[in-house]
């Protein structure tokens, strides 16, 4: 039940499997993985793993519903003896370039740690990025982040519904939501909404219900970094019970769009910080 893709091509997967996985080998590019009514649960590892320096397009086929899940043992913090743990239902490793798209639907149930995890850009493995577009995507990640990227994450369009124990969407460096001149994606949240060192929102109908900050330009691992938060379009309706509405550890620019924020204002938490 472990499918390994070793060469470029289009691969169509369907059916149901309660203990399986799909892996694109290291360095393999030009892969299109079509999910055509797939229900796949991975026991203690990732349902889909795009290994280092791979190039993969994952497509939810039109008219199909697809469900990817893992188990609670897919978390090497809680289960250090599990050498197969990938800490995400969809794991995209360092240097991988992955696009999630399609006019079908994809549901991700993260019982281990993260829903979707994208790797870092390194000198050895190359540039890494994750792009999401034209997809109805639902993620449940009660343990950690719904989507977590170590380099660059772009959400261009689609319909995203996310419930997360930590961030709905997190990127260590670059996070872009929507595009100029487009409606962009709705993003529904989570403990914290959208967080990145450089966060840019250009479009979308975005609703965030957060326990901490709704928007946050930050990364505690970076020192001396010029953090940026930019809103140039879209409609954002956000509320938080114990955090800031919009928090930038550097600059904040609002040049367009509609922004509505409710916070439990006190000395430490404000609509704008």
């Amino acid at each position: 039940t472990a499918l390994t893709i070793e060469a470029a091509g289009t691969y169509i997967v369907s059916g149901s499997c309660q203990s399986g996985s799909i892996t694109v080998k290291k360095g393999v590019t030009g892969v299109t993985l079509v999910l055509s009514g797939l229900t796949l649960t991975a026991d203690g590892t990732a349902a889909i793993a795009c290994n280092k320096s791979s190039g993969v397009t994952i497509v939810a086929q039109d008219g199909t519903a697809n469900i990817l899940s893992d188990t609670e043992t897919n978390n090497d913090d809680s289960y250090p003896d599990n050498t197969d743990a990938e800490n995400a239902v969809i794991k995209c490793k360092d240097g991988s370039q992955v696009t999630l798209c399609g006019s079908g639907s994809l549901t991700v149930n993260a019982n281990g740690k993260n829903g979707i995890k994208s790797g870092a850009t390194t000198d050895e493995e190359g540039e890494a990025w994750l792009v999401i577009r034209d997809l109805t995507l639902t993620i449940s990640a009660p343990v950690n982040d719904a989507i977590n990227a170590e380099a660059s994450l772009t959400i261009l369009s689609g319909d995203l519904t996310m419930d997360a124990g930590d961030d709905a969407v997190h990127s260590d460096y670059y996070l872009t939501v929507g595009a100029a001149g487009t409606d962009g994606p709705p993003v529904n949240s989570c403990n914290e909404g959208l967080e990145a060192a450089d966060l840019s929102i250009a479009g979308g109908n975005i609703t965030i219900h957060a326990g901490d900050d709704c928007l946050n330009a930050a990364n505690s691992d970076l020192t001396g970094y010029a953090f940026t938060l930019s809103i140039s379009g879209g409609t954002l309706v956000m509320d938080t019970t114990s955090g800031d509405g919009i928090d930038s550890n550097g600059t904040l620019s609002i040049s367009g769009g509609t922004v509505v924020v409710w916070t439990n204002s006190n000395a430490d938490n404000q609509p704008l910080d």
Side-chain angles (χ1 to χ4, degrees):
T1 60
L3 168 64
T4 300
I5 295 173
E6 301 180 343
T10 299
Y11 301 83
I12 303 173
V13 288
S14 62
S16 179
C17 180
Q18 292 304 307
S19 181
S21 62
I22 300 170
T23 301
V24 179
K25 287 194 72 174
K26 178 180 178 179
V28 176
T29 61
V31 172
T32 299
L33 182 62
V34 181
L35 312 183
S36 181
L38 176 69
T39 299
L40 174 61
T41 298
D43 187 4
T45 191
I48 297 177
C50 303
N51 278 347
K52 293 180 178 180
S53 305
S54 60
V56 185
T57 300
I58 301 172
V59 182
Q61 188 173 6
D62 183 30
T64 68
N66 304 276
I67 303 172
L68 302 176
S69 308
D70 66 359
T71 59
E72 65 179 9
T73 56
N74 187 28
N75 184 330
D76 58 18
D77 293 330
S78 304
Y79 297 87
D81 293 334
N82 180 15
T83 58
D84 295 325
E86 296 285 11
N87 300 312
V89 179
I90 301 177
K91 178 64 176 288
C92 311
K93 299 188 180 182
D94 293 352
S96 62
Q97 300 181 347
V98 178
T99 299
L100 287 170
C101 61
S103 51
S105 69
L106 174 60
T107 298
V108 174
N109 298 312
N111 299 300
K113 192 171 184 180
N114 301 296
I116 301 170
K117 173 75 173 175
S118 178
T121 294
T122 67
D123 292 338
E124 181 179 1
E125 308 300 343
E127 181 182 6
W129 46 255
L130 174 64
V131 174
I132 299 173
R133 57 176 172 82
D134 308 327
L135 179 64
T136 299
L137 177 63
T138 302
I139 302 176
S140 174
V143 177
N144 204 54
D145 298 340
I147 306 175
N148 182 295
E150 294 184 52
S152 174
L153 171 60
T154 303
I155 304 174
L156 288 174
S157 56
D159 191 338
L160 283 70
T161 302
M162 292 174 284
D163 293 303
D166 200 349
D167 298 348
V169 183
H170 172 93
S171 180
D172 286 353
Y173 287 92
Y174 306 104
L175 170 58
T176 300
V177 179
T182 69
D183 290 336
V187 180
N188 305 290
S189 194
C190 59
N191 184 51
E192 197 159 63
L194 311 181
E195 180 180 66
D198 291 290
L199 173 58
S200 174
I201 299 173
N205 296 309
I206 300 172
T207 303
I208 296 175
H209 306 292
D212 201 345
D213 299 341
C214 297
L215 304 179
N216 194 11
N219 183 338
S220 59
D221 294 328
L222 299 177
T223 57
Y225 192 87
F227 298 98
T228 64
L229 197 162
S230 172
I231 300 171
S232 58
T235 299
L236 293 88
V237 180
M238 305 176 289
D239 64 79
T240 172
T241 57
S242 60
D244 296 313
I246 301 174
D247 184 351
S248 176
N249 288 337
T251 63
L252 169 63
S253 170
I254 302 177
S255 59
T258 300
V259 181
V260 181
V261 180
W262 285 275
T263 66
N264 183 15
S265 293
N266 55 45
D268 296 321
N269 301 302
Q270 298 294 334
L272 299 178
D273 181 7

